[in-house]
Amino acid sequence: MDYRQLVAEAIHNELKDHMELNEINRLLERPKHAEHGDIAFPAFQLARLFRKNPAQIAQELGDSITSPVISSTQVIGPYINFYLNKKTVSQSVINDVIKEKGHYGELSIGNGGNVPIDMSSPNIAKPMSMGHLRSTVIGNALSNILAKVGFSPIRINHLGDWGTQFGKLITAYKKWGNEEDVRSEPIKELLRLYVKFHDEAEDDPTLEDEGRAWFRELESGNEEAVALWKWFREESLKEFEKVYERLNISFDSYNGEAFYNDKMSDVVSLLDEHKLLTVDQGAHIVDLDKYDLNPALIKKSDGATLYMTRDLAAALYRKDNYDFSQSLYVVGQEQSNHFKQLKAVLKELDFDWADSIHHIPFGLITKDGKKLSTRKGKVVLLEEVLNEATAQALQQIEDKNPNLPDKETVAEQVGVGAVVFHDLKNDRLNNFDFTIEEVVQFEGETGPYVQYTRARAMSILRKAGVESLSPSEPFALSDDYSWEVVKLLHDYPDTVRRAYENYEPSIIAKHAIQLAQAFNKFYANVRVLDEDPEKDARLALVFAITEILKEDLRILGVETPDEM
Ligand code: ARG
């Protein structure tokens, strides 16, 4: 049921031709204070329509609006406040959840349309940064949200696997590296070689020339260079896979920058045909003055193609290959300009789908207020963060519930869940300071708190012997504590819709926290297992809560242990 819609219809019944149903629905508000009812209709617009004062028209209209979901109406000034019939609403909402389980809240906005989501996209031979972690978990949550509202998400890892750095890396490897070290700790060793290259190049500028020469060899297909590049790529990818596995995230495509090597000349010709290319100091650029943007660099003076050219090729490829209804790029906000340029160039090429390309930026993770940097090896290693969080989770379990079966698995679910939830609970554009202590906090608004709340609800169901429920029973509740829970369950489809419209996983995370808090209040104040006529309905509510907390966390990419 959608009580908002039902109230809107009841109002519409009285207003008929004077105001559209959609308009009424749009005007409905949630009062800030519970004592002002569950839903309110402000009469300002009506007042203008009828040329009366708002309080007067609210008064006249108030009592005539009736519906089975409305239990009483109270007019305060220009507002008509509705109190809903808790029994009617709770019965219908609880039954909806029991019927639909994890499918509750699904919407059919997307019509199955394909949505490529460019996400994670770390750079080969470098450690995955916290920024890449953000892109990975935000991208994953958005994919789940998109699927929930009826799109077909396609997770694409646009690996940074091409560029002049590979010339440097080959040079450094041939001078100072060996196979064994790369095999045993690929990313650490490749990073060491890369850093050494830059250190040495400060004293010996010929190194840079050598690096460039090797990159040219790579671009022209020199066997040795290509073999080394392939090998570096594979070894790095293996390490990234370990992280993805722990996060439970998989990709539909690993087509990175190198994939577009043979698609670049087409892009350049297309730009040429549209007479968009100009030569500036030997480089080919697209002028974007009329968009108030810097020119897009397409080809360097030495003929090398660039990040932008690859993204143009990728955009065209994705349109051809997936015929997308929209195309998302989950990339840090420091690249906003790049994506503005990308869209602008596509517009200059007269592609009407340029507007369905959306950059989904996110804020920085900082340390003591400063940006974390990969250069000079100053990085927070994601794997270490996950290990630390898991170790702390295990410690908590040992303290609180030493007899828990399969402790290691649960600790991994809680530790990794803590890291992921911590990342997703704030508006994605916020910067936040990273401290491991804060990530592994299990109290307050955290992933482990939500997981723990759900495990507690599960144990109530176990105690009561409830395994599954059928929606036939009249599960109606009327107390104030269950009502807060019922409202949050009721709002779930709307929450999912808002998360989609704003591309904002934190809306789901906040819903999970509110629902967990509302359940804990309910459980502290209502005797769930007491034998009385509402017992079955209370258990049904607890069951519904476990389903929706699980669904919230699933969308975010966080697992839900049944016991912890
Ligand atoms: N590899 C890039 C980086 O680490 C991110 C790539 C984002 N995706 C894209 N299509 N440009 O900065």
Side-chain angles (χ1 to χ4, degrees):
M1 105 161 4
D2 178 353
Y3 63 61
R4 188 189 173 106
Q5 183 67 22
L6 294 173
V7 169
E9 280 165 16
I11 299 171
H12 188 238
N13 259 339
E14 293 308 305
L15 292 176
K16 287 277 161 26
D17 310 325
H18 299 294
M19 200 181 261
E20 301 242 356
L21 182 58
N22 275 345
E23 181 64 6
I24 296 171
N25 202 327
R26 205 182 56 77
L27 289 172
L28 286 173
E29 290 176 14
R30 157 153 308 175
K32 290 213 171 54
H33 303 285
E35 60 268 29
H36 290 162
D38 301 304
I39 195 159
F41 184 69
F44 302 106
Q45 198 146 318
L46 276 188
R48 246 168 285 142
L49 217 64
F50 289 102
R51 296 172 186 283
K52 287 188 176 167
N53 91 45
Q56 187 189 350
I57 193 121
Q59 202 63 51
E60 287 172 18
L61 197 60
D63 286 333
S64 58
I65 299 165
T66 57
S67 154
V69 289
I70 298 170
S71 73
S72 65
T73 310
Q74 185 193 38
V75 175
I76 301 181
Y79 284 93
I80 308 174
N81 297 326
F82 301 98
Y83 294 80
L84 297 174
N85 186 327
K86 294 190 176 71
K87 283 199 167 178
T88 312
V89 173
S90 64
Q91 173 168 346
S92 147
V93 169
I94 293 171
N95 280 315
D96 283 348
V97 180
I98 289 174
K99 225 180 299 166
E100 297 170 37
K101 303 218 172 56
H103 295 291
Y104 182 70
E106 279 177 6
L107 302 171
S108 46
I109 298 173
N111 288 318
N114 282 339
V115 183
I117 303 177
D118 188 305
M119 53 184 267
S120 196
S121 312
N123 300 318
I124 294 297
K126 286 193 191 162
M128 199 185 291
S129 70
M130 292 307 277
H132 296 121
L133 169 72
R134 295 216 71 193
S135 168
T136 310
V137 301
I138 294 170
N140 182 56
L142 287 178
S143 306
N144 291 333
I145 290 167
L146 282 155
K148 186 127 183 131
V149 303
F151 289 96
S152 307
I154 298 153
R155 294 165 165 85
I156 300 177
N157 199 332
H158 188 81
L159 292 169
D161 57 3
W162 202 257
T164 48
Q165 72 269 28
F166 288 96
K168 296 177 187 176
L169 208 54
I170 292 171
T171 308
Y173 175 75
K174 288 179 69 79
K175 282 191 192 304
W176 310 297
N178 66 73
E179 188 172 335
E180 223 174 276
D181 288 345
V182 174
R183 280 211 196 286
S184 69
E185 284 189 299
I187 293 189
K188 245 194 189 144
E189 177 61 10
L190 293 174
L191 182 65
R192 184 188 73 84
L193 290 171
Y194 191 69
V195 171
K196 187 167 170 72
F197 181 94
H198 283 279
D199 285 348
E200 302 275 333
E202 275 178 27
D203 302 324
D204 177 5
T206 64
L207 271 177
E208 295 281 359
D209 296 331
E210 247 180 278
R212 268 191 288 274
W214 269 113
F215 183 58
R216 267 198 302 279
E217 291 298 322
L218 182 61
E219 289 222 282
S220 56
N222 170 310
E223 246 175 68
E224 185 187 7
V226 171
L228 279 173
W229 167 78
K230 264 201 181 132
W231 180 53
F232 294 156
R233 186 182 189 274
E234 261 164 43
E235 293 294 329
S236 297
L237 204 50
K238 268 191 229 161
E239 288 222 355
F240 295 152
E241 281 298 340
K242 286 191 212 158
V243 174
Y244 296 142
E245 219 166 277
R246 290 187 77 172
L247 295 172
N248 259 308
I249 289 173
S250 57
F251 295 89
D252 301 298
S253 161
Y254 284 93
N255 289 343
E257 294 190 38
F259 176 76
Y260 300 99
N261 281 342
D262 62 0
K263 299 168 181 64
M264 307 285 269
S265 57
D266 281 357
V267 171
V268 177
S269 323
L270 192 64
L271 291 167
D272 215 21
E273 278 163 34
H274 280 74
K275 308 226 174 326
L276 293 172
L277 289 176
T278 45
V279 181
D280 184 43
Q281 297 171 20
H284 288 69
I285 60 169
V286 176
D287 186 283
L288 297 174
D289 243 3
K290 72 170 173 204
Y291 297 87
D292 238 346
L293 292 166
N294 291 328
L297 264 168
I298 302 299
K299 228 161 116 179
K300 285 205 279 194
S301 49
D302 63 3
T305 49
L306 291 148
Y307 187 54
M308 173 60 78
T309 328
R310 287 169 200 281
D311 260 328
L312 284 165
L316 292 167
Y317 177 82
R318 288 172 196 174
K319 187 64 196 175
D320 282 348
N321 210 40
Y322 304 119
D323 191 24
F324 55 71
S325 53
Q326 49 179 315
S327 181
L328 308 185
Y329 295 77
V330 185
V331 184
Q333 64 183 341
E334 64 277 10
Q335 293 194 29
S336 286
N337 225 41
H338 169 76
F339 287 102
K340 279 186 197 150
Q341 291 178 317
L342 176 65
K343 280 178 81 156
V345 175
L346 291 170
K347 276 201 177 154
E348 287 297 278
L349 286 169
D350 296 328
F351 290 120
D352 53 2
W353 48 266
D355 285 323
S356 49
I357 284 191
H358 302 298
H359 175 214
I360 314 294
F362 51 82
L364 286 175
I365 300 186
T366 54
K367 185 136 197 166
D368 307 320
K370 282 194 223 79
K371 184 177 185 248
L372 294 164
S373 137
T374 355
R375 241 166 290 137
K376 314 229 162 90
K378 262 196 232 144
V379 282
V380 178
L381 286 181
L382 182 52
E383 231 184 317
E384 285 164 18
V385 172
L386 295 177
N387 289 343
E388 177 65 24
T390 302
Q392 300 238 5
L394 190 60
Q395 190 57 50
Q396 297 249 351
I397 294 169
E398 296 288 2
D399 293 347
K400 287 185 181 150
N401 192 2
N403 298 321
L404 181 73
D406 212 1
K407 279 184 262 193
E408 272 75 25
T409 309
V410 177
E412 174 81 9
Q413 293 175 331
V414 174
V416 173
V419 176
V420 173
F421 196 93
H422 179 265
D423 194 301
L424 293 176
K425 74 172 181 188
N426 296 307
D427 294 3
R428 64 177 153 74
L429 276 168
N430 285 0
N431 293 346
F432 64 86
D433 218 53
F434 185 87
T435 57
I436 184 85
E437 293 76 20
E438 203 197 305
V439 172
V440 297
Q441 282 289 324
F442 292 171
E443 309 287 319
E445 304 186 343
T446 66
Y449 168 75
V450 179
Q451 288 172 317
Y452 182 68
T453 300
R454 178 176 174 280
R456 220 165 136 197
M458 289 300 287
S459 85
I460 297 170
L461 296 178
R462 275 196 300 275
K463 216 185 269 173
V466 176
E467 268 169 28
S468 70
L469 287 166
S470 56
S472 52
E473 309 273 331
F475 298 127
L477 288 165
S478 54
D479 68 278
D480 289 344
Y481 295 103
S482 64
W483 182 236
E484 289 308 311
V485 175
V486 166
K487 277 193 284 188
L488 284 164
L489 295 176
H490 170 273
D491 291 348
Y492 196 51
D494 192 53
T495 305
V496 171
R497 188 185 50 71
R498 278 189 300 120
Y500 161 64
E501 283 173 356
N502 297 289
Y503 300 115
E504 187 59 89
S506 68
I507 290 175
I508 300 290
K510 285 176 181 134
H511 183 267
I513 289 177
Q514 284 172 356
L515 185 56
Q517 288 169 341
F519 165 75
N520 284 322
K521 267 200 193 135
F522 164 76
Y523 188 56
N525 290 285
V526 176
R527 302 177 63 92
V528 174
L529 293 170
D530 271 9
E531 294 297 339
D532 63 39
E534 288 196 342
K535 179 181 170 192
D536 285 348
R538 286 193 298 268
L539 285 171
L541 182 68
V542 174
F543 179 85
I545 291 165
T546 63
E547 287 293 326
I548 299 307
L549 285 180
K550 183 178 185 166
E551 181 58 6
D552 270 330
L553 293 181
R554 181 196 68 78
I555 289 177
L556 299 176
V558 173
E559 294 197 77
T560 39
D562 286 346
E563 269 185 81
M564 56 187 277

